[in-house]
Every structure is written in C-alpha cells, then in structure tokens.
Amino acid sequence: MQVLRDVALSELLWYRIGGTARYLLEARGRDDLCRAVEWVAAQRPDRVFVIGLGSNLVFPDGYFDGAVIRVVRDDGGSLCHLGDGRIEGYGGEVLDRVIRFAFDEGLVGLEWAGGLPGTLGAAVRGNVGAFGGEMTDCLESAEVVALGEPGDAVRTLSHADLAFAYRDSYVKRAGNLIVLSATLALEPADPARLASARETYEANVRYRHSRHPMELPNCGSVFKNIHRREQVERVLAVWPDIEERVRNDWHGKVSMGYIISRLGLAGYQVGRARVSEKHNNFIVNLGGARAADVRAIIARIQAAVEATFGFVPEVEIELID
Ligand SMILES: Cc1cc2nc3c(=O)[nH]c(=O)nc-3n(C[C@H](O)[C@H](O)[C@H](O)COP(=O)(O)OP(=O)(O)OC[C@H]3O[C@@H](n4cnc5c(N)ncnc54)[C@H](O)[C@@H]3O)c2cc1C
C-alpha cells in the first residue's frame, strides 16, 4: 500500500474539484485496503475519507488535513466467477469492468448499470440504480472492513444484513465501513439473451452520452427530483399546467431539471462551474471550477426554489465540509 503526501485531489476525482490531501493511501487490492485500515488505526489522522472514482463527490477546495483512502482498481484483475452465476470482486473494481467481465462469463443482470460511473464498493454502499435496476437486485453479500474498530475488523454481511433501501444501505448508515469485496448473483444466459443484454448495456451507455453532459466533468444529478407529496403539491399549486407531465412523464415526481430550467437558471454560472444546458440538473466543471463555485450555484437554485414554492430541494450529491 502506497502512502503519498500532499496530493492534489482535483487530479484524482471525477469532478476535477478538490484541494490537497495530507495523505493519500492507495488501496489497489484487499491487502492494501487492510493495511490502509491498520495505518489509520496506528497513525490516527484527524480526518479519514474513503473515495472510489469520486463521481459523486464535491471535495472542499482547501487543505484536507487527514488521510484519503482511495479504493480503486480498474483492471478487472480481482474478478472471479465462483460458479452458478456468482461473481466476486474487490470493492475498488470499476463497475463497468464488472459488467463486461460478467458478459464474458455468459452472465446477465447488471446491464442496467451501463455507463454509470463508479466502483463496485461505492455502488453497494449507495445501492446505485438506473433504468429500473438497483444493486440490491443482484447483490448476494459483501465483505466490509471497519475503520476505527479494534481487532479483526473484516466481516461478511449478507443481503439481509445490508438492509438496502432507496440509494441507501447499512454500509452507508454505519458510516465507518469500507466495502472490501462484493459477491453478485447474476444469471447464466444463452447466446440470444446475452446478445440482448449487451444491446441493453450499449443503449444505456448511448442514452447517458446523449442526455448527460459526459463531455465535461460533473458529479451526476445534483438534486433529488421532488418526490414528497406535499412538495409536489406546492409545485403544482404554482404551476398547475404541469400536472399531466407529473403524472405521465415523471411518475408522480417533479423533475428538478425542469424546475431549474423554468426558473431561468439553465446556464447559470459561478466561476468555472455552470448549470449544464444539456441537462439542467447537472453542474459541469468548465475547467478550474472550485467547490465554492458549485456550492454557490446550489445555494442560488435552492433560494430560487424556496422563494417560489416554499421549500428547499434536497441535494443528491455528497458535499464534503
Ligand atoms: C454522469 C453521472 C451519472 C450518474 N448516474 C447515476 C445513476 O444513474 N444512478 C446512481 O445511483 N448514481 C449515479 N451517479 C452517481 C455515482 O455514479 C454513484 O454515486 C457511484 O456509486 C459513485 O461511485 P464512486 O466510486 O465514484 O464513489 P465516490 O464518489 O468516490 O464516493 C461516493 C461515496 O461512496 C463512499 N465509498 C467509495 N468507495 C467505497 C467503498 N469501497 N466502501 C464504502 N464506501 C465507499 C465514499 O466515501 C462516498 O461517501 C452518477 C454520477 C455521474 C457523474
């Protein structure tokens, strides 16, 4: 396990935003990760933060006086077909590698995640989902290692232990657990089904490239769509003309992209961060954006929504203090 000092996080994180970390612990496999946890127990840095690809994070601009553990391995080398459609892999494997490994082994069930950036471990933690699929649908168990717990800190959590909920899991709620490995239960498929799953995967990747501003660094959808009944009603009280879209197009929710656009904030820019015109619920980094720029845009959107409807929309990305 490599321990690097004074590392510019903006060079590592997907969003290309973030200051300098005092220590970066590179955990490219399970032994590395266990050593990183031991290092933290011995050195007791003031702060510890775990990152994967950083595709959902806005890291602060200043000095991070602590240790960042980077759980990333992107060569597919830890993946193993255990038989019966079960795949095991290190938590740092990039999800896309896992999907392609599964296809090569004749297995389907992960194609919904085509084009979704991130690592296997973060996907388990956040129960990521897209196009009707979610991690909980195919996750059998996960090995986790606990930061700051004495003794042998590795344990296996079953699907039931992981207690998945919408974009949530026991790992996320516990706060000090790192996903060391995960075992997925996928389905063996005949050639026709495999070909169809590959097509679905490709279509999902294409959809993301056509709808999302993938050409610029971003961190996914910034706000959750409005889903609480009373908030949907408040929006409809001000904009009754969108009732049909809420019912038919947005499954009872109100699209935050739509709200941002209708409030005139598409293209709103602070510093080098800008509300994407391609998808208004994304804030892109035009190059050299700072966390403070992104936060200022978020605050502006929240203020406009509050002034119009009387509530503050919830942020979906992780803003680190
Ligand atoms: C263009 C774009 C589209 C996206 N679309 C979707 C989508 O459709 N659906 C969806 O659900 N998400 C989506 N996201 C969000 C993102 O892909 C997920 O949150 C993903 O799981 C983040 O993975 P990561 O490796 O980048 O994690 P990071 O962003 O590095 O970290 C996210 C969180 O996971 C924790 N973490 C990282 N690794 C581990 C580990 N091994 N063990 C425990 N905790 C860990 C971190 O501490 C942090 O709290 C999108 C993001 C982008 C940029």
Side-chain angles (χ1 to χ4, degrees), residues 13-14 33 49-57 69 71-72 91-92 95 112 115-131 167 171-172 177-180 208 212-214 217-221 282 316-318 320:
L13 299 168
W14 187 271
L33 183 47
F49 197 88
V50 175
I51 60 170
L53 293 188
S55 65
N56 208 33
L57 303 176
I69 305 178
V71 187
V72 177
L95 204 50
W112 53 268
L116 198 160
T119 55
L120 182 57
V124 172
R125 174 191 179 271
N127 187 21
V128 297
F131 304 110
R167 303 292 171 267
V171 174
K172 190 170 179 177
L177 299 179
I178 307 177
V179 177
L180 185 56
R208 286 182 183 276
H212 299 162
M214 304 294 271
N218 67 76
C219 62
S221 297
F282 281 61
E316 179 152 8
I317 56 177
E318 206 171 324
I320 300 149

Side-chain angles (χ1 to χ4, degrees), residues 15-27:
Y15 209 5
R16 297 283 175 257
I17 289 177
T20 299
R22 179 167 193 164
Y23 299 109
L24 179 81
L25 313 187
E26 281 279 2

Side-chain angles (χ1 to χ4, degrees), residues 123-142:
V124 172
R125 174 191 179 271
N127 187 21
V128 297
F131 304 110
E134 283 188 304
M135 269 330 265
T136 180
D137 301 338
C138 59
L139 205 280
E140 186 179 280
S141 61

Side-chain angles (χ1 to χ4, degrees), residues 230-303:
E230 72 278 9
Q231 294 184 346
V232 172
E233 274 160 16
R234 282 193 197 196
V235 176
L236 288 174
V238 183
W239 294 341
D241 56 300
I242 60 168
E243 196 165 349
E244 224 174 281
R245 295 195 73 181
V246 170
R247 207 173 332 111
N248 300 333
D249 300 346
W250 300 325
H251 312 286
K253 301 178 189 164
V254 187
S255 151
M256 264 309 286
Y258 176 86
I259 291 181
I260 291 166
S261 162
R262 189 157 166 178
L263 290 175
L265 291 167
Y268 178 72
Q269 189 169 330
V270 175
R272 300 290 295 156
R274 182 180 176 91
V275 176
S276 165
E277 277 113 332
K278 191 167 175 185
H279 190 311
N280 304 148
N281 197 13
F282 281 61
I283 299 176
V284 292
N285 178 356
L286 300 171
R290 296 170 60 80
D293 302 335
V294 175
R295 283 175 177 271
I297 293 179
I298 289 173
R300 174 76 181 84
I301 292 170
Q302 287 182 321

